[in-house]
Amino acid sequence: MKRKSPFGPSGVSYPALTMGLLLIGAPLLVVSLFSFLKRGSFGSGVVYKFTTDAYSSILIQTNLIGQHSLNTAYLSIIWRSIVLALSVTVICLLVGIPTAIWIALQKKSVQKILIILVTIPFWVNVLARTYAWMLLLADKGLLSQIGGPTLLYTNWATLIGLTYAFLPFMVLPVYAVAEKMDFRTLEAGFDLGASGWRVLFKVLLPTLKYGILSGIAVVFIPALGAYVQPSLLGGNKSMLIGSLINDQFGDSRNWPVGSALAVLLVLMTIFALGTFKFRGRFGRSATVPQDLGGVE
Amino acid sequence: MRSTVEVRRQIPSVASIGILAIAFLYVPLMTVLVFSFNRSEDATVWGGFSTKWYSTVLHNSDLIRAAKFSLSLAVPSALLASLFAAGLAIGIGVVHSRRIVLLQMLVNAPLILPEIVTAVGTLALFSAVKIPLNFASLLAAHVALCIPFAFLPIRSRLRDLDPAIFEAAEDLGASSRRVMLRITAPLIIPAVFSAMLLTFIISMDDFLTSMFLSGPSTTTLPLYIFGLLKLGVSPEVNVISALLLVIPTVGLLLSVVWIRKRGK
């Protein structure tokens, strides 16, 4: 290490760096490796023989007489996951941006309380939060008691549950930018005769750009890889990538295909990160309350 | 600020969306809380106030066992992750070489990478090098998952400190070990406590990593609860969810108040 830390000896960072190498780096490496291996014969693990079968079986299926065709089973699951994650992202944008602006327009003391309110649901166990929607959407649940439809075990329930889980992820980064924004620029826009829409698209959204891009990345990525909400709220028919990976490592016992899907998820994550470059604190980390940051 | 007021008047719809969003976040939680006091056998139909399901839940020995196991996992996870994260924040300082930035990205990957990827990856790794799935291997995975969350508050605390303090210490001839023990450590203790609290909650709540890495004798609380949730709604799960809602929230709010008081 070339540069010395002012806070203490550099050696104290080794345990954490070793953990990162062994329990994050090595697992990613092994998953990539497994995705190029043969499926284990006893329905578990892998055989150490190089093959790209896992990837091609995601794309192509071969029937009994050796004809090849597009494997729609996996592709439709991947497609459904992407569509669902995009829908969640769009809803979070439409709700999250106005909410963040609304919070930024309040007095400082009110802002703090509202941000804590947005953050708290995140620190409630994800199972409890998902269960809350089971209670509301179930057959004879509260929504159906007031005359609504029974949505539990449909894609709609998954959509609601994921939006619920990730809305704070959109509000927080947009708020972080909106809080520093000078709202008089909007006024200037109006004074110069611009219409509301024009002010929205030419002044407000460009100013909030980085917050919005961060928000898109940190909502879309976890929504794509979600497991808990789809498997509790969605039906058996609407499988997503997360459940598919789980199946390959569990019941179906095809570790190479499961690994290939995990690699695909990593690639999509990197793609999303590259597309929506973000700054500052993001995702779950953004929900760490500032007051807990040890700032006095 | 007059201008803000005027803008607020010009974009009034943001207020209604904002209020709806807050309501959207809290209506489900409040529903769970209210229905945990439901007398009825039917989880979703109100049948009067009662705390009887609370006593049922508190006498559920499987649940208690799973909760105890989760505690025995979350306490060392939080302690180790916060210790390692403090070491990381102290050891790498503020300016980093490229090699360290890459390693640090790996450490912090759980902040953004879908958890299912690291979970199946760790399972694959453990099976490839024949590490059995037991308490120790689950603990190691939890610590790796928790470190980045512990790292954030500690690093932000270090960044807020006046660099002059450390320059002075070095000029006066203090060794880097002495600086760490006498200056850095006392200054970051509140942040380390925050880190422990956050990582404790993360480890207690973790579902995916535990699901893939749990052996026959390592059923965590979330794993047990997931099993119940798979069966659908029930009065007992109303109570369990209400407890999972109230306990971390109260803990978090209390610690915010405590840290603010300490800061003054």
mmCIF file of all heavy atoms in Angstrom, chain A residues 5 7 12 31 102 105 117 125 127 131 140 142 145 164 184 187 231 242 255 285 291-294, chain B residues 3 6 8 15 24-26 31 42 44 90 116 127 152-153 184 194 205 222 230 234 238 241 260:
data_model
loop_
_atom_site.group_PDB
_atom_site.id
_atom_site.type_symbol
_atom_site.label_atom_id
_atom_site.label_comp_id
_atom_site.label_asym_id
_atom_site.label_seq_id
_atom_site.Cartn_x
_atom_site.Cartn_y
_atom_site.Cartn_z
ATOM 1 N N SER A 5 -2.662 5.697 5.774
ATOM 2 C CA SER A 5 -3.873 6.286 6.331
ATOM 3 C C SER A 5 -3.514 7.140 7.547
ATOM 4 O O SER A 5 -2.671 6.756 8.349
ATOM 5 C CB SER A 5 -4.835 5.177 6.743
ATOM 6 O OG SER A 5 -5.773 5.680 7.668
ATOM 7 N N PHE A 7 -5.443 7.623 9.988
ATOM 8 C CA PHE A 7 -6.247 7.215 11.146
ATOM 9 C C PHE A 7 -5.647 6.064 11.943
ATOM 10 O O PHE A 7 -6.076 5.782 13.049
ATOM 11 C CB PHE A 7 -7.654 6.812 10.712
ATOM 12 C CG PHE A 7 -8.339 7.858 9.885
ATOM 13 C CD1 PHE A 7 -8.780 7.564 8.605
ATOM 14 C CD2 PHE A 7 -8.547 9.128 10.390
ATOM 15 C CE1 PHE A 7 -9.408 8.529 7.827
ATOM 16 C CE2 PHE A 7 -9.175 10.093 9.628
ATOM 17 C CZ PHE A 7 -9.604 9.803 8.342
ATOM 18 N N VAL A 12 -4.959 -2.976 9.768
ATOM 19 C CA VAL A 12 -6.267 -3.286 10.373
ATOM 20 C C VAL A 12 -7.360 -3.411 9.323
ATOM 21 O O VAL A 12 -8.474 -3.846 9.628
ATOM 22 C CB VAL A 12 -6.673 -2.247 11.447
ATOM 23 C CG1 VAL A 12 -5.784 -2.344 12.663
ATOM 24 C CG2 VAL A 12 -6.675 -0.836 10.879
ATOM 25 N N VAL A 31 -19.306 -19.043 -9.141
ATOM 26 C CA VAL A 31 -20.563 -19.068 -9.886
ATOM 27 C C VAL A 31 -20.291 -18.962 -11.386
ATOM 28 O O VAL A 31 -20.878 -19.688 -12.190
ATOM 29 C CB VAL A 31 -21.510 -17.949 -9.387
ATOM 30 C CG1 VAL A 31 -22.303 -17.357 -10.526
ATOM 31 C CG2 VAL A 31 -22.456 -18.493 -8.348
ATOM 32 N N TRP A 102 -41.808 17.356 -2.844
ATOM 33 C CA TRP A 102 -42.698 17.814 -1.777
ATOM 34 C C TRP A 102 -41.948 17.884 -0.435
ATOM 35 O O TRP A 102 -42.042 18.873 0.293
ATOM 36 C CB TRP A 102 -43.898 16.851 -1.675
ATOM 37 C CG TRP A 102 -44.802 17.110 -0.512
ATOM 38 C CD1 TRP A 102 -45.561 18.230 -0.285
ATOM 39 C CD2 TRP A 102 -45.042 16.233 0.589
ATOM 40 N NE1 TRP A 102 -46.255 18.090 0.879
ATOM 41 C CE2 TRP A 102 -45.958 16.876 1.432
ATOM 42 C CE3 TRP A 102 -44.576 14.963 0.929
ATOM 43 C CZ2 TRP A 102 -46.423 16.292 2.615
ATOM 44 C CZ3 TRP A 102 -45.028 14.378 2.093
ATOM 45 C CH2 TRP A 102 -45.943 15.038 2.926
ATOM 46 N N LEU A 105 -39.581 20.775 -0.197
ATOM 47 C CA LEU A 105 -40.219 22.093 -0.087
ATOM 48 C C LEU A 105 -40.662 22.415 1.338
ATOM 49 O O LEU A 105 -41.111 23.513 1.617
ATOM 50 C CB LEU A 105 -41.430 22.176 -1.029
ATOM 51 C CG LEU A 105 -41.117 22.288 -2.522
ATOM 52 C CD1 LEU A 105 -42.381 22.124 -3.346
ATOM 53 C CD2 LEU A 105 -40.453 23.615 -2.820
ATOM 54 N N LEU A 117 -39.658 9.084 8.226
ATOM 55 C CA LEU A 117 -40.879 8.318 7.917
ATOM 56 C C LEU A 117 -40.708 7.484 6.653
ATOM 57 O O LEU A 117 -41.182 6.348 6.573
ATOM 58 C CB LEU A 117 -42.066 9.274 7.729
ATOM 59 C CG LEU A 117 -42.736 9.777 9.005
ATOM 60 C CD1 LEU A 117 -43.885 10.716 8.661
ATOM 61 C CD2 LEU A 117 -43.266 8.603 9.831
ATOM 62 N N ASN A 125 -38.670 -5.749 8.887
ATOM 63 C CA ASN A 125 -38.362 -6.999 8.192
ATOM 64 C C ASN A 125 -39.153 -7.132 6.895
ATOM 65 O O ASN A 125 -40.361 -6.897 6.849
ATOM 66 C CB ASN A 125 -38.696 -8.152 9.134
ATOM 67 C CG ASN A 125 -38.285 -9.471 8.558
ATOM 68 O OD1 ASN A 125 -38.792 -9.880 7.511
ATOM 69 N ND2 ASN A 125 -37.356 -10.130 9.203
ATOM 70 N N LEU A 127 -40.152 -9.650 5.350
ATOM 71 C CA LEU A 127 -41.249 -10.626 5.410
ATOM 72 C C LEU A 127 -42.487 -9.983 6.029
ATOM 73 O O LEU A 127 -43.610 -10.197 5.566
ATOM 74 C CB LEU A 127 -40.823 -11.847 6.224
ATOM 75 C CG LEU A 127 -39.673 -12.665 5.631
ATOM 76 C CD1 LEU A 127 -39.246 -13.754 6.605
ATOM 77 C CD2 LEU A 127 -40.074 -13.264 4.302
ATOM 78 N N TYR A 131 -45.922 -9.514 4.203
ATOM 79 C CA TYR A 131 -47.116 -10.089 4.815
ATOM 80 C C TYR A 131 -48.238 -9.059 4.915
ATOM 81 O O TYR A 131 -49.414 -9.396 4.731
ATOM 82 C CB TYR A 131 -46.793 -10.643 6.205
ATOM 83 C CG TYR A 131 -48.006 -11.236 6.875
ATOM 84 C CD1 TYR A 131 -48.523 -12.451 6.442
ATOM 85 C CD2 TYR A 131 -48.665 -10.553 7.879
ATOM 86 C CE1 TYR A 131 -49.654 -12.984 7.013
ATOM 87 C CE2 TYR A 131 -49.808 -11.079 8.467
ATOM 88 C CZ TYR A 131 -50.297 -12.295 8.031
ATOM 89 O OH TYR A 131 -51.426 -12.814 8.586
ATOM 90 N N LYS A 140 -60.956 -12.447 0.911
ATOM 91 C CA LYS A 140 -61.517 -11.965 2.172
ATOM 92 C C LYS A 140 -60.607 -10.975 2.890
ATOM 93 O O LYS A 140 -60.794 -10.677 4.059
ATOM 94 C CB LYS A 140 -61.822 -13.145 3.131
ATOM 95 C CG LYS A 140 -63.003 -13.977 2.688
ATOM 96 C CD LYS A 140 -63.557 -14.797 3.825
ATOM 97 C CE LYS A 140 -62.588 -15.858 4.312
ATOM 98 N NZ LYS A 140 -63.045 -16.576 5.489
ATOM 99 N N LEU A 142 -58.690 -7.109 3.332
ATOM 100 C CA LEU A 142 -59.342 -5.821 3.541
ATOM 101 C C LEU A 142 -59.775 -5.174 2.236
ATOM 102 O O LEU A 142 -60.828 -4.560 2.167
ATOM 103 C CB LEU A 142 -58.416 -4.884 4.304
ATOM 104 C CG LEU A 142 -58.098 -5.342 5.722
ATOM 105 C CD1 LEU A 142 -57.488 -4.214 6.520
ATOM 106 C CD2 LEU A 142 -59.351 -5.862 6.416
ATOM 107 N N GLN A 145 -62.897 -6.743 1.181
ATOM 108 C CA GLN A 145 -64.000 -6.391 2.096
ATOM 109 C C GLN A 145 -64.621 -5.048 1.745
ATOM 110 O O GLN A 145 -65.794 -4.797 2.023
ATOM 111 C CB GLN A 145 -63.511 -6.360 3.547
ATOM 112 C CG GLN A 145 -63.315 -7.751 4.137
ATOM 113 C CD GLN A 145 -62.763 -7.701 5.550
ATOM 114 O OE1 GLN A 145 -63.068 -6.782 6.310
ATOM 115 N NE2 GLN A 145 -61.954 -8.673 5.903
ATOM 116 N N TYR A 164 -43.874 -1.146 -3.242
ATOM 117 C CA TYR A 164 -43.871 -0.808 -1.822
ATOM 118 C C TYR A 164 -42.465 -0.931 -1.241
ATOM 119 O O TYR A 164 -42.004 -0.065 -0.492
ATOM 120 C CB TYR A 164 -44.822 -1.757 -1.088
ATOM 121 C CG TYR A 164 -44.981 -1.437 0.370
ATOM 122 C CD1 TYR A 164 -45.687 -0.309 0.763
ATOM 123 C CD2 TYR A 164 -44.447 -2.255 1.360
ATOM 124 C CE1 TYR A 164 -45.842 -0.004 2.096
ATOM 125 C CE2 TYR A 164 -44.602 -1.959 2.691
ATOM 126 C CZ TYR A 164 -45.301 -0.838 3.057
ATOM 127 O OH TYR A 164 -45.454 -0.529 4.377
ATOM 128 N N ARG A 184 -35.982 28.800 -6.674
ATOM 129 C CA ARG A 184 -36.278 30.069 -7.332
ATOM 130 C C ARG A 184 -36.054 29.973 -8.839
ATOM 131 O O ARG A 184 -36.595 30.762 -9.600
ATOM 132 C CB ARG A 184 -35.402 31.176 -6.741
ATOM 133 C CG ARG A 184 -35.927 31.650 -5.391
ATOM 134 C CD ARG A 184 -34.975 32.628 -4.763
ATOM 135 N NE ARG A 184 -33.644 32.019 -4.591
ATOM 136 C CZ ARG A 184 -32.629 32.641 -3.991
ATOM 137 N NH1 ARG A 184 -32.770 33.861 -3.528
ATOM 138 N NH2 ARG A 184 -31.463 32.037 -3.861
ATOM 139 N N GLU A 187 -39.299 29.509 -10.364
ATOM 140 C CA GLU A 187 -40.016 30.771 -10.383
ATOM 141 C C GLU A 187 -39.549 31.626 -11.563
ATOM 142 O O GLU A 187 -40.352 32.217 -12.271
ATOM 143 C CB GLU A 187 -39.698 31.493 -9.079
ATOM 144 C CG GLU A 187 -40.847 32.276 -8.529
ATOM 145 C CD GLU A 187 -40.366 33.071 -7.328
ATOM 146 O OE1 GLU A 187 -39.379 32.641 -6.673
ATOM 147 O OE2 GLU A 187 -40.943 34.109 -7.063
ATOM 148 N N SER A 231 -42.307 -14.587 -4.582
ATOM 149 C CA SER A 231 -42.676 -15.939 -4.180
ATOM 150 C C SER A 231 -43.794 -15.944 -3.132
ATOM 151 O O SER A 231 -44.480 -16.956 -2.991
ATOM 152 C CB SER A 231 -41.454 -16.720 -3.680
ATOM 153 O OG SER A 231 -40.872 -16.068 -2.601
ATOM 154 N N GLY A 242 -35.450 -14.602 -9.874
ATOM 155 C CA GLY A 242 -35.040 -14.977 -8.520
ATOM 156 C C GLY A 242 -35.523 -16.370 -8.158
ATOM 157 O O GLY A 242 -34.749 -17.212 -7.686
ATOM 158 N N TRP A 255 -27.349 -26.922 -11.099
ATOM 159 C CA TRP A 255 -26.499 -25.822 -10.645
ATOM 160 C C TRP A 255 -25.886 -25.023 -11.790
ATOM 161 O O TRP A 255 -25.803 -23.802 -11.689
ATOM 162 C CB TRP A 255 -25.408 -26.347 -9.695
ATOM 163 C CG TRP A 255 -25.945 -26.677 -8.339
ATOM 164 C CD1 TRP A 255 -27.208 -27.059 -8.031
ATOM 165 C CD2 TRP A 255 -25.236 -26.617 -7.094
ATOM 166 N NE1 TRP A 255 -27.342 -27.262 -6.680
ATOM 167 C CE2 TRP A 255 -26.136 -26.999 -6.077
ATOM 168 C CE3 TRP A 255 -23.923 -26.295 -6.742
ATOM 169 C CZ2 TRP A 255 -25.772 -27.064 -4.739
ATOM 170 C CZ3 TRP A 255 -23.561 -26.365 -5.394
ATOM 171 C CH2 TRP A 255 -24.478 -26.739 -4.413
ATOM 172 N N SER A 285 -28.006 1.453 1.319
ATOM 173 C CA SER A 285 -27.129 2.328 2.088
ATOM 174 C C SER A 285 -27.759 3.702 2.271
ATOM 175 O O SER A 285 -27.517 4.364 3.271
ATOM 176 C CB SER A 285 -25.778 2.467 1.391
ATOM 177 O OG SER A 285 -25.930 3.147 0.180
ATOM 178 N N ASP A 291 -28.696 10.508 10.982
ATOM 179 C CA ASP A 291 -28.454 10.678 12.405
ATOM 180 C C ASP A 291 -27.689 9.513 12.979
ATOM 181 O O ASP A 291 -27.102 9.607 14.040
ATOM 182 C CB ASP A 291 -29.775 10.836 13.165
ATOM 183 C CG ASP A 291 -30.257 12.262 13.079
ATOM 184 O OD1 ASP A 291 -29.461 13.144 13.360
ATOM 185 O OD2 ASP A 291 -31.413 12.464 12.707
ATOM 186 N N LEU A 292 -27.726 8.388 12.292
ATOM 187 C CA LEU A 292 -26.991 7.232 12.783
ATOM 188 C C LEU A 292 -25.586 7.193 12.203
ATOM 189 O O LEU A 292 -24.813 6.315 12.499
ATOM 190 C CB LEU A 292 -27.733 5.946 12.424
ATOM 191 C CG LEU A 292 -28.843 5.589 13.399
ATOM 192 C CD1 LEU A 292 -29.658 4.448 12.844
ATOM 193 C CD2 LEU A 292 -28.273 5.199 14.744
ATOM 194 N N GLY A 293 -25.281 8.175 11.367
ATOM 195 C CA GLY A 293 -23.969 8.202 10.755
ATOM 196 C C GLY A 293 -22.901 8.691 11.708
ATOM 197 O O GLY A 293 -21.760 8.827 11.343
ATOM 198 N N GLY A 294 -23.278 8.936 12.944
ATOM 199 C CA GLY A 294 -22.312 9.419 13.919
ATOM 200 C C GLY A 294 -22.011 10.892 13.718
ATOM 201 O O GLY A 294 -21.069 11.434 14.267
ATOM 202 N N SER B 3 -40.313 32.631 -1.800
ATOM 203 C CA SER B 3 -40.288 31.985 -3.113
ATOM 204 C C SER B 3 -40.726 30.529 -3.014
ATOM 205 O O SER B 3 -41.460 30.032 -3.850
ATOM 206 C CB SER B 3 -38.889 32.072 -3.709
ATOM 207 O OG SER B 3 -37.980 31.389 -2.874
ATOM 208 N N GLU B 6 -44.365 30.269 -2.874
ATOM 209 C CA GLU B 6 -44.998 30.494 -4.175
ATOM 210 C C GLU B 6 -44.883 29.264 -5.074
ATOM 211 O O GLU B 6 -45.838 28.875 -5.725
ATOM 212 C CB GLU B 6 -44.367 31.703 -4.867
ATOM 213 C CG GLU B 6 -44.998 33.006 -4.402
ATOM 214 C CD GLU B 6 -44.165 34.200 -4.779
ATOM 215 O OE1 GLU B 6 -43.420 34.122 -5.765
ATOM 216 O OE2 GLU B 6 -44.243 35.212 -4.062
ATOM 217 N N ARG B 8 -44.576 26.292 -4.099
ATOM 218 C CA ARG B 8 -45.455 25.262 -3.561
ATOM 219 C C ARG B 8 -46.878 25.480 -4.077
ATOM 220 O O ARG B 8 -47.591 24.542 -4.381
ATOM 221 C CB ARG B 8 -45.432 25.342 -2.030
ATOM 222 C CG ARG B 8 -45.669 24.010 -1.390
ATOM 223 C CD ARG B 8 -45.611 24.147 0.101
ATOM 224 N NE ARG B 8 -44.305 24.582 0.571
ATOM 225 C CZ ARG B 8 -44.086 25.048 1.803
ATOM 226 N NH1 ARG B 8 -45.075 25.168 2.654
ATOM 227 N NH2 ARG B 8 -42.894 25.406 2.175
ATOM 228 N N ALA B 15 -47.861 17.908 -3.389
ATOM 229 C CA ALA B 15 -48.257 17.689 -1.997
ATOM 230 C C ALA B 15 -49.194 16.494 -1.889
ATOM 231 O O ALA B 15 -49.007 15.617 -1.045
ATOM 232 C CB ALA B 15 -48.923 18.940 -1.433
ATOM 233 N N PHE B 24 -49.377 5.368 1.626
ATOM 234 C CA PHE B 24 -49.113 4.075 0.982
ATOM 235 C C PHE B 24 -48.080 3.287 1.778
ATOM 236 O O PHE B 24 -48.181 2.069 1.929
ATOM 237 C CB PHE B 24 -48.624 4.345 -0.452
ATOM 238 C CG PHE B 24 -48.130 3.142 -1.213
ATOM 239 C CD1 PHE B 24 -49.007 2.127 -1.564
ATOM 240 C CD2 PHE B 24 -46.805 3.038 -1.585
ATOM 241 C CE1 PHE B 24 -48.555 1.024 -2.284
ATOM 242 C CE2 PHE B 24 -46.339 1.940 -2.305
ATOM 243 C CZ PHE B 24 -47.228 0.934 -2.641
ATOM 244 N N LEU B 25 -47.086 4.001 2.333
ATOM 245 C CA LEU B 25 -46.046 3.316 3.099
ATOM 246 C C LEU B 25 -46.569 2.834 4.448
ATOM 247 O O LEU B 25 -46.114 1.825 4.972
ATOM 248 C CB LEU B 25 -44.838 4.238 3.311
ATOM 249 C CG LEU B 25 -43.968 4.534 2.086
ATOM 250 C CD1 LEU B 25 -42.866 5.524 2.427
ATOM 251 C CD2 LEU B 25 -43.351 3.252 1.553
ATOM 252 N N TYR B 26 -47.518 3.577 5.030
ATOM 253 C CA TYR B 26 -47.893 3.262 6.410
ATOM 254 C C TYR B 26 -49.192 2.500 6.582
ATOM 255 O O TYR B 26 -49.368 1.827 7.589
ATOM 256 C CB TYR B 26 -47.879 4.547 7.260
ATOM 257 C CG TYR B 26 -46.454 4.861 7.630
ATOM 258 C CD1 TYR B 26 -45.652 5.638 6.806
ATOM 259 C CD2 TYR B 26 -45.872 4.284 8.752
ATOM 260 C CE1 TYR B 26 -44.318 5.853 7.094
ATOM 261 C CE2 TYR B 26 -44.549 4.487 9.065
ATOM 262 C CZ TYR B 26 -43.780 5.277 8.229
ATOM 263 O OH TYR B 26 -42.470 5.459 8.519
ATOM 264 N N THR B 31 -52.196 -1.608 9.360
ATOM 265 C CA THR B 31 -53.168 -2.698 9.282
ATOM 266 C C THR B 31 -52.670 -3.919 10.051
ATOM 267 O O THR B 31 -53.415 -4.522 10.839
ATOM 268 C CB THR B 31 -53.408 -3.095 7.810
ATOM 269 O OG1 THR B 31 -53.700 -1.919 7.075
ATOM 270 C CG2 THR B 31 -54.541 -4.077 7.686
ATOM 271 N N ASP B 42 -60.216 -15.697 12.274
ATOM 272 C CA ASP B 42 -60.013 -15.338 10.885
ATOM 273 C C ASP B 42 -59.062 -14.134 10.827
ATOM 274 O O ASP B 42 -59.354 -13.085 11.380
ATOM 275 C CB ASP B 42 -61.381 -14.976 10.265
ATOM 276 C CG ASP B 42 -61.349 -15.095 8.760
ATOM 277 O OD1 ASP B 42 -60.257 -14.905 8.187
ATOM 278 O OD2 ASP B 42 -62.406 -15.387 8.175
ATOM 279 N N THR B 44 -58.255 -11.953 8.703
ATOM 280 C CA THR B 44 -58.549 -10.712 8.008
ATOM 281 C C THR B 44 -59.885 -10.093 8.416
ATOM 282 O O THR B 44 -60.229 -9.019 7.959
ATOM 283 C CB THR B 44 -58.582 -10.938 6.480
ATOM 284 O OG1 THR B 44 -59.552 -11.943 6.211
ATOM 285 C CG2 THR B 44 -57.233 -11.373 5.963
ATOM 286 N N ILE B 90 -10.477 2.656 9.016
ATOM 287 C CA ILE B 90 -9.253 3.225 9.585
ATOM 288 C C ILE B 90 -8.066 2.915 8.683
ATOM 289 O O ILE B 90 -7.261 3.789 8.365
ATOM 290 C CB ILE B 90 -9.013 2.660 11.001
ATOM 291 C CG1 ILE B 90 -10.052 3.212 11.971
ATOM 292 C CG2 ILE B 90 -7.603 2.992 11.486
ATOM 293 C CD1 ILE B 90 -10.018 2.564 13.336
ATOM 294 N N ILE B 116 -29.354 -12.606 -4.016
ATOM 295 C CA ILE B 116 -29.441 -14.009 -4.428
ATOM 296 C C ILE B 116 -28.157 -14.445 -5.129
ATOM 297 O O ILE B 116 -27.747 -15.604 -5.026
ATOM 298 C CB ILE B 116 -30.690 -14.231 -5.319
ATOM 299 C CG1 ILE B 116 -30.991 -15.724 -5.416
ATOM 300 C CG2 ILE B 116 -30.527 -13.623 -6.694
ATOM 301 C CD1 ILE B 116 -32.382 -16.039 -5.881
ATOM 302 N N SER B 127 -19.631 -25.628 -1.490
ATOM 303 C CA SER B 127 -19.715 -27.011 -1.961
ATOM 304 C C SER B 127 -18.452 -27.381 -2.750
ATOM 305 O O SER B 127 -17.978 -28.514 -2.676
ATOM 306 C CB SER B 127 -20.987 -27.213 -2.784
ATOM 307 O OG SER B 127 -20.699 -27.253 -4.140
ATOM 308 N N LEU B 152 -20.363 2.185 6.171
ATOM 309 C CA LEU B 152 -20.883 3.507 5.793
ATOM 310 C C LEU B 152 -20.903 4.526 6.924
ATOM 311 O O LEU B 152 -20.328 5.601 6.779
ATOM 312 C CB LEU B 152 -22.286 3.358 5.196
ATOM 313 C CG LEU B 152 -22.340 2.741 3.809
ATOM 314 C CD1 LEU B 152 -23.754 2.356 3.462
ATOM 315 C CD2 LEU B 152 -21.789 3.731 2.804
ATOM 316 N N PRO B 153 -21.560 4.228 8.063
ATOM 317 C CA PRO B 153 -21.574 5.250 9.118
ATOM 318 C C PRO B 153 -20.181 5.552 9.674
ATOM 319 O O PRO B 153 -19.894 6.693 9.999
ATOM 320 C CB PRO B 153 -22.487 4.653 10.196
ATOM 321 C CG PRO B 153 -22.602 3.217 9.883
ATOM 322 C CD PRO B 153 -22.381 3.067 8.412
ATOM 323 N N THR B 184 -8.335 8.028 17.038
ATOM 324 C CA THR B 184 -9.398 7.594 16.128
ATOM 325 C C THR B 184 -10.473 6.811 16.878
ATOM 326 O O THR B 184 -11.664 7.126 16.776
ATOM 327 C CB THR B 184 -8.828 6.719 15.000
ATOM 328 O OG1 THR B 184 -7.633 7.308 14.513
ATOM 329 C CG2 THR B 184 -9.816 6.578 13.881
ATOM 330 N N SER B 194 -23.666 2.727 16.060
ATOM 331 C CA SER B 194 -24.686 2.761 14.999
ATOM 332 C C SER B 194 -24.500 1.582 14.069
ATOM 333 O O SER B 194 -25.463 0.907 13.696
ATOM 334 C CB SER B 194 -24.559 4.033 14.160
ATOM 335 O OG SER B 194 -24.457 5.149 14.971
ATOM 336 N N ASP B 205 -32.745 -9.863 10.027
ATOM 337 C CA ASP B 205 -33.749 -9.858 8.962
ATOM 338 C C ASP B 205 -33.377 -10.719 7.780
ATOM 339 O O ASP B 205 -34.215 -10.999 6.943
ATOM 340 C CB ASP B 205 -33.938 -8.422 8.434
ATOM 341 C CG ASP B 205 -34.828 -7.614 9.336
ATOM 342 O OD1 ASP B 205 -35.241 -8.162 10.368
ATOM 343 O OD2 ASP B 205 -35.102 -6.451 9.021
ATOM 344 N N PRO B 222 -36.284 -15.583 10.239
ATOM 345 C CA PRO B 222 -36.925 -15.333 8.945
ATOM 346 C C PRO B 222 -37.234 -16.614 8.162
ATOM 347 O O PRO B 222 -38.265 -16.680 7.496
ATOM 348 C CB PRO B 222 -35.893 -14.476 8.202
ATOM 349 C CG PRO B 222 -35.140 -13.786 9.272
ATOM 350 C CD PRO B 222 -35.050 -14.782 10.391
ATOM 351 N N LYS B 230 -45.762 -18.938 3.660
ATOM 352 C CA LYS B 230 -46.091 -19.736 2.495
ATOM 353 C C LYS B 230 -47.482 -20.361 2.632
ATOM 354 O O LYS B 230 -48.139 -20.678 1.645
ATOM 355 C CB LYS B 230 -45.040 -20.848 2.313
ATOM 356 C CG LYS B 230 -43.884 -20.429 1.437
ATOM 357 C CD LYS B 230 -44.347 -20.322 0.007
ATOM 358 C CE LYS B 230 -43.235 -20.131 -0.984
ATOM 359 N NZ LYS B 230 -43.781 -19.736 -2.295
ATOM 360 N N SER B 234 -52.634 -15.742 8.720
ATOM 361 C CA SER B 234 -53.151 -16.363 9.931
ATOM 362 C C SER B 234 -53.005 -15.379 11.086
ATOM 363 O O SER B 234 -52.149 -14.490 11.034
ATOM 364 C CB SER B 234 -52.385 -17.655 10.244
ATOM 365 O OG SER B 234 -51.139 -17.342 10.809
ATOM 366 N N ASN B 238 -50.020 -12.465 11.986
ATOM 367 C CA ASN B 238 -50.320 -11.051 12.255
ATOM 368 C C ASN B 238 -49.476 -10.557 13.423
ATOM 369 O O ASN B 238 -48.860 -9.494 13.372
ATOM 370 C CB ASN B 238 -51.794 -10.867 12.626
ATOM 371 C CG ASN B 238 -52.710 -10.979 11.424
ATOM 372 O OD1 ASN B 238 -52.243 -11.088 10.296
ATOM 373 N ND2 ASN B 238 -54.010 -10.957 11.677
ATOM 374 N N SER B 241 -45.642 -10.543 12.663
ATOM 375 C CA SER B 241 -45.282 -9.407 11.805
ATOM 376 C C SER B 241 -45.335 -8.100 12.581
ATOM 377 O O SER B 241 -44.481 -7.222 12.387
ATOM 378 C CB SER B 241 -46.215 -9.331 10.606
ATOM 379 O OG SER B 241 -46.097 -10.504 9.843
ATOM 380 N N ARG B 260 -28.189 11.511 19.251
ATOM 381 C CA ARG B 260 -28.319 12.965 19.218
ATOM 382 C C ARG B 260 -27.953 13.570 20.560
ATOM 383 O O ARG B 260 -27.278 14.580 20.636
ATOM 384 C CB ARG B 260 -29.764 13.340 18.888
ATOM 385 C CG ARG B 260 -29.916 13.635 17.439
ATOM 386 C CD ARG B 260 -31.170 14.420 17.201
ATOM 387 N NE ARG B 260 -31.498 14.324 15.790
ATOM 388 C CZ ARG B 260 -32.691 14.533 15.303
ATOM 389 N NH1 ARG B 260 -33.696 14.833 16.104
ATOM 390 N NH2 ARG B 260 -32.905 14.439 14.023
#
